[in-house]
Amino acid sequence: MQANKLSDWLPTTKREVKIRGWEELDVILFSGDAYVDHPSFGPAVIGRILESYGLKVAIVPQPSVHDDLQDFTKLGIPKLFFGITGGCMDPMVSNYTASKKRRDKDAYTPNGDKGFRPDYATSVYSNILKEKFPDVPVLIGGIEASLRRVTHYDYWSDKLLPTILETSKADMLVYGMGEQPLREVVKLLQKGVPFSSLRTIQQTAFLVDKNERIPKNKNWEDVEIHSHDVCLKNKKKFASNFKVIEQESNKLKARRIFQGVNDKTLVINPPYPTMTEKEIDASFDLPYTRLPHPKYNKRGPIPAFEMIKTSINIHRGCFGGCSFCTISAHQGKFIASRSKESILREVDKVANMPDFKGYLSDIGGPSANMYQMKGKVQSICDKCVAPSCISPVICSNLDTSHKPLTELYQAVDSHPKVKKSFIGSGIRHDMLVPEFNKNADPKELDDYTEEVMTKHVSGRLKVAPEHTSDPVLKLMRKPSFEYFHKFKERFDRINLKKKLKLQLIPYFISNHPACEVEDMANLAAETKDMGFQLEQVQGFTPTPMTVATVIYYSGYHPYTLKPTKTPKSRKEKEEQHRFFFWYKKENKGWIRKTLGKLGRKDLVEALVPEEETNTWKSIKPKKVNNTFDNAIPAHHARSKKKHKSRKKRR
């Protein structure tokens, strides 16, 4: 492969702009992440998309906000607009743990160094640019902007904040995946339409003065939600807003949303339809170098890049609609799948990179096994307002065939330079259980499961049952834990049949809304029965734009408006989390005392009997690298007991 030149990356300095022979720029992007020119990094995608429209684009990664702010002025003034993204994660998630402690590392910075991304980066960058260049339009996008587009609860400040358009002073917000709205923005600007007149572009949001006329669109219906001021005064009304926001975000024919914000009106235009195969292929087929910018060569590796540099993203979107997850809020409920040809072209590009050793780290997406899945009858999907296609049951209109995915894996593995392709993304195990996925061909599900277990797993298969309590799982929009038992039976059967020694790695969450101490004790007992000794686990972290976060702040479920309890105090959270580690000596006395007060001697006997055998003490749990900062328990062989007796007493 020919060595890359500096000009193969988007320019990041004035010198690099001059290398390209440019005198001025059309768009200057600012990003909270280091610049990695790879299709898994949003800032690179946006830069390449704008470049494909014929624009002269530069990117300023991780501009310093601690000096004379020269990073914001060094490239001058763009002809069209400044673009801003906080990065591939919300900066507050990047900077802080669930307990609000500063993280030691930033995965999107060379060497994992911290301190290169300010809190609330999008607003910080935008305010600096608006102060220095008040007449230049600022367009914000990415995860942080997308999920903070309306009144939202901010866990780190413990406050209800208005739309990020208000705090950032930006002129426009693009929410969700940005290719489609950016195409329209650029087309109109190139025709000479003033930025201030861009008011009817789908998947954008902006603020207008209350006395300003809002352009009408005969194809759109409008809906008004409770104002920011009302939300500050009434938690129940704040909660009721979310049902409208979530449903309109996932509709194929959505309404335009209005919300009062101080003396202005927030306007959120409906989203674009799901990207077509041709559109998503075009985005992934752009001329990425797939490498960090050479400026980082002496600073050390970028952890997030090292994690995904040999991975292939095959689709976007997720129809799971989990209450604690933001994927559908940003990428959409409907799946946008790449063509097999586009995927294989990327596989070939990776396989021919100089340092490729023959192993692809992941062939996946937000969920590994949703590729090419969509509604059988499109007109039914057109009218659907359900936030999930698989909760509480799998929609009868959903085509859940795993055959295209199995065939794709086999095509990838046929590449002469690929020794093995792994599935690193989490798999929806519930869709592989015929008792839950009743419309699927059981043989097809077994074929897929066997393909993954025999050819695409490095000793461990990750799945996410999340909890064992049916009431908690119902609120999470996850299926009953009984389907995890059924999946484990199939997993064990294939393990035995193929003489494998694979471990099943389930993820669990503590402190989720509706979860109580007794639920966590049941979880501990049931997973112990199944042979799991949990080592790393995840505490629920409230992030904007999820059902669970709305419940956490308001105390009401946004769909029913019924009061819903959530563990909020540090003591409650620590106690729930502690049950994951029932096997630790320092927790045994506390567990006996806590469950004794609840009258649950059966759980005491199940978790910490007086005469505990040395079985668990003799096993040292294996620690596993954690890709998603989630909980990764270690699985150990042990006889399974009946779990029905562990159900919570009412």
Side-chain angles (χ1 to χ4, degrees), residues 185-428:
V185 167
V186 171
K187 184 176 79 172
L188 292 174
L189 290 177
Q190 288 178 328
K191 285 183 177 179
V193 177
F195 197 97
S196 59
S197 297
L198 304 180
R199 292 289 186 254
T200 56
I201 297 175
Q202 289 174 259
Q203 217 163 301
T204 63
F206 51 89
L207 287 169
V208 298
D209 292 332
K210 285 213 169 163
N211 57 2
E212 186 178 337
R213 188 179 68 84
I214 300 172
K216 291 185 179 180
N217 187 310
K218 64 181 181 181
N219 297 315
W220 297 346
E221 293 181 17
D222 298 330
V223 59
E224 185 165 3
I225 60 177
H226 296 294
S227 71
H228 178 66
D229 187 54
V230 168
C231 291
L232 289 173
K233 297 172 183 174
N234 191 313
K235 290 184 176 183
K236 195 171 189 178
K237 290 184 177 179
F238 162 72
S240 71
N241 275 357
F242 188 79
K243 179 180 178 181
V244 177
I245 295 162
E246 184 176 49
Q247 288 186 339
E248 299 306 323
S249 297
N250 285 321
K251 279 183 185 177
L252 289 176
K253 293 182 180 178
R255 295 177 291 180
R256 180 168 56 174
I257 297 174
F258 297 150
Q259 183 187 32
V261 183
N262 300 328
D263 58 348
K264 298 175 183 176
T265 299
L266 169 66
V267 181
I268 303 177
N269 290 337
Y272 270 91
T274 306
M275 291 178 80
T276 64
E277 183 179 89
K278 184 178 179 181
E279 286 176 322
I280 194 169
D281 280 358
S283 183
F284 278 88
D285 290 346
L286 293 168
Y288 304 97
T289 63
R290 295 186 64 89
L291 295 167
H293 191 280
K295 71 194 295 180
Y296 306 122
N297 287 350
K298 295 181 180 179
R299 286 183 55 187
I302 299 171
F305 168 70
E306 296 298 318
M307 193 185 300
I308 57 83
K309 67 180 180 180
T310 62
S311 71
I312 309 293
N313 193 336
I314 62 175
H315 78 269
R316 291 179 185 165
C318 179
F319 47 67
C322 297
S323 296
F324 50 84
C325 182
T326 60
I327 291 172
S328 65
H330 186 66
Q331 294 194 13
K333 177 177 78 170
F334 299 100
I335 305 300
S337 297
R338 298 170 64 186
S339 68
K340 182 193 289 187
E341 293 73 25
S342 174
I343 294 167
L344 293 178
R345 280 195 296 271
E346 187 176 0
V347 169
D348 187 64
K349 187 169 185 177
V350 174
N352 283 290
M353 295 189 79
D355 61 346
F356 183 66
K357 302 294 191 297
Y359 301 97
L360 296 171
S361 61
D362 186 25
I363 307 293
S367 287
N369 54 326
M370 291 187 182
Y371 179 69
Q372 295 285 14
M373 295 185 186
K374 58 185 179 180
K376 299 170 187 174
V377 180
Q378 186 58 45
S379 59
I380 295 176
C381 293
D382 290 344
K383 300 172 186 175
C384 180
V385 297
S388 172
C389 302
I390 54 177
S391 176
V393 296
I394 294 180
C395 176
S396 59
N397 189 49
L398 180 65
D399 180 0
T400 60
S401 172
H402 284 64
K403 188 175 181 180
L405 198 46
T406 304
E407 291 174 348
L408 175 64
Y409 294 164
Q410 293 166 351
V412 168
D413 286 353
S414 69
H415 191 287
K417 292 188 177 182
V418 173
K419 296 176 183 176
K420 187 164 184 174
S421 60
F422 296 99
I423 309 304
S425 306
I427 286 176
R428 286 294 307 220

Side-chain angles (χ1 to χ4, degrees), residues 93 98 153-156 324 539-544 546 548-550 552-553 566 573:
V93 178
Y153 172 67
D154 179 68
Y155 170 66
W156 296 272
F324 50 84
F540 167 66
T541 304
T543 53
T546 70
T549 298
V550 171
Y552 178 91
Y553 168 75
T566 302
K573 292 179 181 180

